[in-house]
Amino acid sequence: MKMISRATFALFIVAMLSSGIGESRKTKIVTTSFEYNAINCRAHTASLTDFGGVGDGTTSNTKAFQAAISNLSEYSSNGGSELYVPAGKWLTGSFSLISHFTLYLDKDAVLLASQDMSEWPVLSPLPSYGRGRDAPAGRYQSFIFGTNLTDVIITGQNGTIDGQGAFWWQQFHRKKLKYTRPYLIELMFSDNIQISSLTLLNSPSWNVHPVYSSNIIVQGITIIAPVSSPNTDGINPDSCTNIRIEDCYIVSGDDCVAVKSGWDEYGIKFGWPTKQLAIRRLTCISPYSATIALGSEMSGGIQDVRAEDITAIQTESGVRIKTAAGRGGFVKDIYVKRMNLHTMKWAFKMTGDYNSHADSHYDPNALPEIKGINYRDVVAENVTIAARFEGISNDPFTGICIANVTIGLSAKAKKQPWTCADIEGMTSGVTPPPCSLLPDQGPEKISACDFPQEPLPIDSLELKKCASSVLLS
Ligand SMILES: *[C@@H]1O[C@H](CO)[C@@H](O)[C@H](O)[C@H]1NC(C)=O
Ligand SMILES: *[C@@H]1O[C@H](CO)[C@@H](O)[C@H](O)[C@H]1NC(C)=O
Ligand SMILES: *[C@@H]1O[C@H](CO)[C@@H](O)[C@H](O)[C@H]1NC(C)=O
Ligand SMILES: *[C@@H]1O[C@H](CO)[C@@H](O)[C@H](O)[C@H]1NC(C)=O
Ligand SMILES: *[C@@H]1O[C@H](CO)[C@@H](O)[C@H](O)[C@H]1NC(C)=O
């Protein structure tokens, strides 16, 4: 018997009964089984091919995805459902997910984003941003989209979602876009989300954008885009609560993880912070951007972020806080430990004049509060500038705590490794010796910048083992 694919565990040949005129026909029915870990398992499984999907890389599957997901919505209140995408190249426009649903990609499945503009619905700007980032009017719906959902999973055996972004980057550079570029995956107003075990390639813009959502796990994601591609941020939790980002590898043209919460007066009015975020075992390569950025859109506030075991190579900065007068909001209770940095421009950066306003209606007196920023156990090598910390005059960034940090400077490092203005804080055991605004409090203060003791609620969430099988005809 010939194996159809490595994921095929059983193969049945069923002889179909002869038709009216007597000739007989043989149809192969293949059962594929797969196992994975998830926040929830599903009672019903179907394959995209049941709904007319064609994985030849050129036929549009937008209607097949819509038909499949609409059919499976019958099971939302009856055990949930799972859509299996087999090996193949599945060209499709944007499509929307439903609640109690899993999109599962075979390891050799590639979703290819269509370049036919009619396959991309246009949405209004995000309420906390007031306008689109590329164009003030609407924004193209993300490639994989969901809103007002609960219990939604996008996973696979490291299957691929390819945004075919070059087309969009070119339109962006030529200023030909009528609407803001689509993200690769966006879930809005949703609860209980898992995005795991996938490879994301060449997103038109940001890759993973959970917004106004809670209880989110992002795990085992590989994100790859050219380092010069515009705005290809990796993972952007935006006005979200209780999130775990783990074991991700990101090479991109913008920040690997960018924590956000809305823009200027729109974000202040909307007022949804991002809080309770854990980032663990992240590897980042991004020569023109940050490993972890907080902002620049932070007007709803960012609080209680805990990042640990972070590796960055050839990345512009380790942790970067970006804000400006007019943003309002806050960035507080930020904890980072065990970072390994190789070849960086800045190990740490804070900018209080990152202007980039949504429009001219922002309130210049809306000053952000930046407070309680803690970095410890960091080893960096081949760094040009240890840190550049620039607060806002009459609005200093306070409670900066840096301990047990060794920054090896590169041969062409600046004479002055630290630049500090409008900040307050302390250090302990930091090399090279920091600026006078961050006085060394001696080795006994090394634990001053520790993580909080109590875990985040998301840490108690354990994944279930799911096993499924599906008939492929
Ligand atoms: C969904 O698919 C099942 C199985 O193919 C079929 O019996 C049912 O009629 C479909 N429902 C809809 C709404 O298409
Ligand atoms: C989704 O939820 C938000 C917030 O609760 C609400 O404002 C919005 O109208 C909902 N949208 C839909 C399509 O139900
Ligand atoms: C997933 O695929 C990417 C791209 O081929 C590869 O770099 C990565 O190592 C794979 N991850 C796993 C966990 O197999
Ligand atoms: C200082 O940081 C290094 C590197 O992360 C770590 O091995 C060491 O245990 C830390 N020292 C203390 C006292 O925590
Ligand atoms: C150090 O960084 C410079 C860029 O600043 C780079 O050209 C060089 O290759 C790096 N050296 C090592 C040993 O990584």
Side-chain angles (χ1 to χ4, degrees), residues 147-148 189 272:
T147 190
N148 301 68
F189 296 114
W272 278 30

Side-chain angles (χ1 to χ4, degrees), residues 157-158 160 198-199 201 220 222 224 249:
Q157 304 160 302
N158 202 18
T160 301
L198 295 168
T199 296
L201 299 180
T222 300
I224 297 176
Y249 176 85

